[in-house]
Amino acid sequence: MKTLLAALLLIMAGTAGAEDYDLSVTRKGSNLYKVDGKDIYIHTRYCYEYVYSEDSLLRMSGTSGKIVFIDEGESCDVKAVYGESNLTAGKYKVSVSREDDDWYEVFGTDTFIKTSMCLNLALGDDAVLKVSAGGYGTLYFIDDEDDCSVEGVYTQLRL
């Protein structure tokens, strides 16, 4: 009986803090999947699944986890999950680095910028982020005078 109880406690400890989420996702870029119907992005590592409204299971523990694409029978490691930022409209001077296609990290924060068709290979580049009330805007790269359309600004979620 003690052995059974010890085994049960070990199993429970291994899954403690892990949360499962049933959702549908669509690939939006390299290592970037959007939760259908929500303003939430899942940033993966080395994930090459081209899915559209794919039933998926997201298993998170803290800030990292795994996503399983049900129909494909494949899974990928999740780097982080991001939700819409509460950034107020305005202009912000930022330093950004490109993480993946159309996905830029704001240096020193858990904030990321989702762009559209942006080809800038920024690596700690100074920029100006101009955001409207709806979260859309423009990212101006100061040194090369390049600009990109911003689809949204996101912060890391802890699930």
Side-chain angles (χ1 to χ4, degrees), residues 65-159:
K66 185 174 288 275
I67 186 167
V68 178
F69 303 103
I70 306 296
D71 293 340
E72 301 294 320
E74 298 293 333
S75 67
C76 295
D77 289 333
V78 172
K79 211 171 175 181
V81 177
Y82 297 92
E84 188 175 19
S85 173
N86 294 327
L87 190 65
T88 57
K91 287 184 182 178
Y92 301 89
K93 186 171 183 201
V94 294
S95 178
V96 297
S97 294
R98 181 180 179 271
E99 280 285 309
D100 273 308
D101 295 345
D102 292 320
W103 194 246
Y104 293 84
E105 179 181 13
V106 177
F107 182 75
T109 68
D110 281 333
T111 303
F112 285 75
I113 302 167
K114 172 71 171 94
T115 62
S116 176
M117 305 291 289
C118 191
L119 301 177
N120 196 299
L121 299 175
L123 183 60
D125 291 4
D126 290 329
V128 174
L129 172 63
K130 183 178 178 184
V131 181
S132 68
Y136 295 91
T138 307
L139 182 62
Y140 300 96
F141 293 92
I142 295 171
D143 289 342
D144 59 8
E145 299 179 9
D146 193 13
D147 64 354
C148 297
S149 294
V150 171
E151 291 183 1
V153 180
Y154 299 88
T155 56
Q156 188 171 0
L157 300 176
R158 185 170 180 84
L159 302 175

Side-chain angles (χ1 to χ4, degrees), residues 28-47:
K28 292 296 183 177
S30 174
N31 288 306
L32 198 60
Y33 296 84
K34 186 174 188 297
V35 176
D36 296 336
K38 306 275 186 207
D39 206 6
I40 296 174
Y41 284 89
I42 300 168
H43 191 200
T44 60
R45 285 187 176 93
Y46 312 112
C47 193

